[in-house]
Every structure is written in structure tokens, then in C-alpha cells.
Amino acid sequence: MTTIAVENPATGAVIGTVPDLTADDVAAAARRARDAQSAWADLGYDGRAVVLRRMQRWIVRHTDEVIATICSETGKAYEDALLAEVSYGAAAFGFWARQAPRYLADVRVRSAQPLVAGKRLVHRYRPMGLVGVIGPWNYPLTNSFGDCIPALAAGNAVLLKPSEITPLTSLLLAEGLRECGLPDGVFEVVTGRGATGAALVDEVDMVMFTGSTSTGRLVAARAAERLIPASLELGGKDPMIVLADADLERASTHAAYYSMLNCGQTCISIERCYVEAPVYDRFVELVTAKVAALRQGVPAGPGSVDVGSLTFPPQVDVVDRHVSEALAAGARALVGGQRPERRGHWYPPTVLVDVDHDMAIMREETFGPTLPIMKVPDADEAVRLANDSDYGLCASVFGGDLERAEQVARRIDAGAVAVNDAVVNYTALELPMGGAKPASGVGRRHGREGITKYCRQQSLLISRWHLRHDVHTYPYRPGRSRLLARVLAVLNRGRRTA
Ligand code: NAD
């Protein structure tokens, strides 16, 4: 069997190998999963919640081991793994165990239609069957494994294809699920490259994809061939707007943190910043000092570094291209801006000014530790530039007058907008999250849709009356039909059928 070597991107050392599974291997895993699914669904919400809650505690007990695995295959800082992965994952197990029965409970529907008067109408959710999850490398727990949790809570079997760059975290957590009593076959990690992901789409009843816009398009096309639903969480180029009355300390701290978090490899990173002219100089001065003070290096436990390495080797080339092209076109780097000669995959935290909207760094997803800042005359121009993008994932607005800041936030074409904050909205599992423009994805994770999308829907109509005929059924009779016509005309004139 061919294998894939997994590298620690911060050091360049090979830390493991995983199988590169073929389409036949994926088909065999899908058969095992389908065999196991109905018993898992039959356990009901309470039975499944027992396993999910055990896994929540398992993650807490194994925090150090999970963080070490995440850091070793991503190169990210300890705190990035603790806050944005381990704590998210543990919370998600508890959240979906608790919320699945609420979000998926039968809904009694009332109808104003006279033909269904007196009948019971119910809308309900059933598991899809076999869900396929395909994940990226930037958050191996949160973005790959995280989407499996609601799918399992809904009663599905799940096949996860993690990124070939970071498969070890998913394998470790699969081990945890087994220890917590998840029946064999219900969840399986199928490791491999893009071809394995494509084979997965051919086997499942629904696919949840997180990754780049270009791969998302391929996954959507393949899912469309089979007429299966696809939920897509794709790229972003999130704008931050700083209004003149903003608290500049808070705004600059958040700009530095949420542009450099996870070395900038977050789909909802702050990737570009627009600042109203009166506060531009002071804001730039504050951000520059905060970014210059960041300690970047190989993570070695709590508090050891602020920023780790990049995870995906080719990403360094993308970041380098965006920065060098911007510098060549007249931008200035106030911090960083040069690719270092160093073993592993590194780019320094970088702040750029004198940028404009013709530059790739303002238009394409950089996915690295960069913060380009532009001066704007007013909020209208900031909103215009924020919306001048194919992407629309998240955004943030900082301002002292909350009402005005919220009005600005409501004008941004993004799936989620934070006021005087950024990114942290992602941790609110009750709050739906997803793209507002196709390049950022289709569908939502979190909230009700974050689990109903893993279900088939069924509408039930239950007639309780033991009449031989309903008023509208055969045999048609002139008198009854005229009466019916008059009744329907009266009802349709009024508001009852609105
Ligand atoms: P990618 O698109 O290169 O790969 C994602 C996954 O798809 C990997 O597991 C890969 O093996 C698999 N894949 C590749 N070709 C495939 C094919 N033809 N069919 C099926 N699967 C295939 O993305 P990446 O580089 O791993 O991740 C970075 C991207 O993910 C960035 O664009 C980032 O913005 C995005 N992302 C989005 C979110 C979100 O919530 N919107 C979250 C995290 C990352």
C-alpha cells in the first residue's frame, strides 16, 4: 500500500506516515459504515449522547496529547491549538449531544388550508445515512473533525477524509471515539490525497467540504453528478473597518491578534484593514508595535511562542508572492516582509501600508501572517472596498458609537460580522456560520442548519377523522361542488389563507 509522509512543518522532520487509500478502500469503508449506521441511529439521542459526552471528557483528559499532535503536524502555537481546537472540540461534543434532540425534534405544523383542516401535520428529520466530511489542514480538529460531531449526533455514520498534510489528529480522535464506546464502523478516517476525497464523494449520501474555493467547485460538481447535497465552507478575505471613534487600543490589539492567529491560516482571519483617515496614523503606529513584539518560533509548550510556522509548504510561496508583488508596486513593510532562510516553512508576521485594491494582497486569499492596512476617507468608502471582493465569509467593524458601527456592519456582504471584535463569533455554536457569496461557500455550520443539513426531511399528514369521504373527494356531485366553490371563494377573499 502506498503511504503519505506527514511532516512537522516547523522543523521539517517526518513524524509519521498514513495510508494513501484507494477508491476501493473507500468503498469498503462505506460498506462497513452503512452496515453499522442503523444500529447507531436506533440508539436514539440519549444513547448517542452517552458516547458523545464521554468523548467530551476524553478530550479534556487527553488535552496535552491532542495539543502535542496538533502542534506537531501544523506547527501552530500551543495556545492556538488549545483555544481554537481542543476547547472548541470538547465544547462541540457537549453542545451537539444536548442540542441534537432539540434542533431535530418533530415540529407540529399548522395550516390555514381548509382541505387539511383537522389533520395532524408534522415536519421531522431523519439521518441521511452516510455522511462524508472532507477537511483542510489549517484546523485539523475544529474544521475536519468538528463537522463530524453534529453528523454523528443526528444518527449518521461518517467517513472523514482529513487533509493529507494533517491526518494524525483525526486518527487520534478516532481512537478516542473507539475508547468511548462508538460502535465499530460508525466512524472511520479514510486517509489519502485529493483522489481519496473524490472517491468519498462517490460513496456518501451527503458531503460536507471545508477547503479552498477551487477544490470546493470540484466537490460540488461531483456531488451534483450524483444529485447528493453538498455543504461547502470555502475561502475568505475578511475585511476589518476601523471608524474614527474606535477605541484604538482594542482595535489594534484585535487587528494584530486576529490577523496573526494560527500564523494567519484561518479562513476568517483579518486579511485586510480599512481605517478612517483621522485615526490612521495612530492605529498603524499601535498595530506595528504590537506585531513587531510577537515571538515566532517552533512551539514548545504553553507560552513558548506567539506565532508558529506555516503548515502547508506551498502556502509560503503564496504569501511571499503577495508581499513581494505589493512591495514592488509601492507598498511598504513596517514589520516583516521578507522570507527567511530557515528549515521548516516560515514567513514572519508582516504589516504593510501604502497598499491599493489592484494588489493581490488586497484581493486574493493570502492565508498567511500578513496585515495590509489602507487609509480611507470615510465609512462609505470602507464599506465599498470591504464589499469589493469575490469573498464574503466574515468581517469586523470597530467604532465607539455602537449604533453607527452596527449600521456599518449590516452593510457588509459577509456571512458573519463582528462589532468591536473579530473571529470569536465562530466559537458560539448556536450562531450560524458560512459564506454570503459563493466563493466563500454554500450552506451553514453551527446553529440549527449545522445539524439539519445532515438529515433527510419528512413531512407527515395524519388524518384522524374516520369519515368515509373528505368533502372534496369522489364522488363529485353538483350541489356539493358548488358549495365547496363558495366556501373556497369566501376563504380566499379573507386573510385566513394568507
Ligand atoms: P484544499 O481545497 O486544497 O483541500 C481540502 C481537502 O480537499 C483536502 O482534504 C484535500 O485532500 C481534499 N481534496 C483535494 N482535491 C479534492 C477533490 N478533487 N475531491 C475531493 N477532495 C479533494 O484546501 P486546503 O488547502 O486544505 O485548506 C485551505 C483552504 O480552506 C483555505 O482556502 C481556507 O480559507 C479554507 N477554509 C475554509 C474554512 C471555512 O470554514 N470557510 C475553514 C478552514 C479552511
Side-chain angles (χ1 to χ4, degrees):
M1 175 180 287
T2 32
T3 56
I4 299 170
V6 182
E7 192 192 52
N8 179 331
T11 62
V14 172
I15 51 171
T17 56
V18 295
D20 187 4
L21 296 179
T22 64
D24 286 347
D25 298 324
V26 175
R31 279 194 297 276
R32 289 193 292 278
R34 286 191 188 283
D35 286 348
Q37 188 264 330
S38 56
W40 175 241
D42 289 347
L43 276 182
Y45 293 113
D46 290 346
R48 294 195 293 274
V50 169
V51 178
L52 300 179
R53 290 212 171 89
R54 265 191 219 135
M55 188 59 190
Q56 181 177 28
R57 293 189 291 275
W58 187 96
I59 292 185
V60 174
R61 272 201 316 281
H62 292 78
T63 293
D64 289 344
E65 190 183 353
V66 178
I67 290 181
T69 306
I70 293 173
C71 290
S72 70
E73 65 178 350
T74 62
K76 69 177 67 182
Y78 175 95
E79 287 74 9
D80 292 349
L82 173 72
L83 294 171
E85 303 239 51
V86 170
S87 95
Y88 173 94
F93 273 104
F95 176 82
W96 292 113
R98 193 171 58 252
Q99 294 298 345
R102 297 183 189 168
Y103 284 145
L104 302 182
D106 285 5
V107 178
R108 179 84 186 268
V109 175
R110 310 225 167 262
S111 171
Q113 286 302 324
L115 298 188
V116 298
K119 300 169 199 283
R120 187 151 63 90
L121 309 178
V122 177
H123 180 227
R124 67 179 283 248
Y125 295 99
R126 299 188 294 168
M128 277 278 172
L130 179 57
V131 168
V133 176
I134 302 175
W137 44 259
N138 57 333
Y139 285 96
L141 197 169
T142 296
N143 280 149
S144 297
F145 196 84
D147 284 321
C148 302
I149 304 169
L152 288 169
N156 296 288
V158 177
L159 292 184
L160 165 63
K161 208 300 275 177
S163 168
E164 57 274 35
I165 307 297
T166 55
L168 302 180
T169 305
S170 295
L171 291 167
L172 174 65
L173 291 168
E175 230 7 87
L177 276 173
R178 249 189 305 277
E179 278 177 36
C180 291
L182 188 77
D184 281 351
V186 171
F187 175 73
E188 212 159 311
V189 178
V190 289
T191 52
R193 304 180 200 278
T196 311
L200 182 78
V201 182
D202 291 343
E203 295 295 336
V204 296
D205 300 318
M206 182 270 175
V207 62
M208 168 69 223
F209 173 83
T210 306
S212 62
T213 306
S214 54
T215 311
R217 207 170 270 126
L218 296 176
V219 168
R222 202 157 181 136
E225 282 287 320
R226 298 193 51 232
L227 294 177
I228 60 163
S231 185
L232 310 168
E233 293 283 347
L234 308 178
K237 187 74 192 170
D238 291 1
M240 171 184 183
I241 294 177
V242 183
L243 301 173
D245 61 349
D247 178 329
L248 295 186
E249 269 301 333
R250 183 172 177 84
S252 58
T253 299
H254 280 65
Y257 184 60
Y258 287 119
S259 59
M260 303 302 159
L261 174 75
N262 207 36
C263 205
Q265 305 162 110
T266 304
C267 52
I268 51 176
S269 285
I270 294 173
E271 285 239 349
R272 51 198 171 112
C273 188
Y274 306 98
V275 186
E276 278 193 308
V279 293
Y280 173 82
D281 288 341
R282 180 67 185 141
F283 176 79
V284 167
E285 189 186 336
L286 286 169
V287 167
T288 302
K290 286 170 185 176
V291 173
L294 295 175
R295 299 160 306 148
Q296 187 179 35
V298 180
S304 53
V305 296
D306 299 310
V307 181
S309 71
L310 286 148
T311 300
F312 184 47
Q315 203 61 40
V316 190
D317 299 325
V318 175
V319 179
D320 191 33
R321 176 173 63 82
H322 285 190
V323 174
S324 355
E325 281 179 12
L327 294 176
R332 281 183 302 129
L334 301 183
V335 189
Q338 252 203 322
R339 185 181 188 156
E341 285 295 323
R342 179 174 182 178
R343 192 169 146 78
H345 308 292
W346 298 91
Y347 201 89
T350 295
V351 176
L352 293 179
V353 291
D354 300 343
V355 290
D356 64 51
H357 256 225
D358 290 331
M359 297 175 178
I361 199 143
M362 297 302 280
R363 308 199 67 85
E364 295 170 24
E365 188 179 46
T366 307
F367 226 55
T370 53
L371 182 65
I373 309 175
M374 242 178 112
K375 189 194 294 189
V376 290
D378 53 33
D380 286 347
E381 180 64 357
V383 170
R384 189 187 72 74
L385 290 170
N387 288 339
D388 178 25
S389 174
D390 291 337
Y391 293 110
L393 200 50
C394 288
S396 54
V397 178
F398 285 74
D401 176 346
L402 281 189
E403 215 169 291
R404 177 167 176 249
E406 184 179 332
Q407 286 313 316
V408 171
R410 286 172 182 269
R411 292 167 61 199
I412 300 177
D413 294 332
V417 189
V419 171
N420 291 325
D421 224 314
V423 177
V424 75
N425 52 287
Y426 193 91
T427 61
L429 294 166
E430 300 79 357
L431 196 59
M433 147 85 205
K437 297 183 188 173
S440 286
V442 181
R444 286 290 178 274
R445 63 157 62 100
H446 302 163
R448 185 177 300 279
E449 196 185 326
I451 190 163
T452 56
K453 67 183 179 184
Y454 295 124
C455 297
R456 294 188 200 289
Q457 301 183 29
Q458 186 176 55
S459 293
L460 295 169
L461 179 149
I462 297 142
S463 256
R464 286 174 295 185
W465 288 354
H466 300 289
L467 293 177
R468 274 230 183 112
H469 309 285
D470 277 343
V471 66
H472 58 283
T473 53
Y474 295 142
Y476 290 156
R477 293 277 183 265
R480 197 148 56 96
S481 295
R482 273 193 288 273
L483 178 65
L484 194 58
R486 273 206 299 277
V487 172
L488 289 176
V490 169
L491 288 175
N492 282 322
R493 240 183 273 133
R495 265 174 288 154
R496 285 194 53 202
T497 50

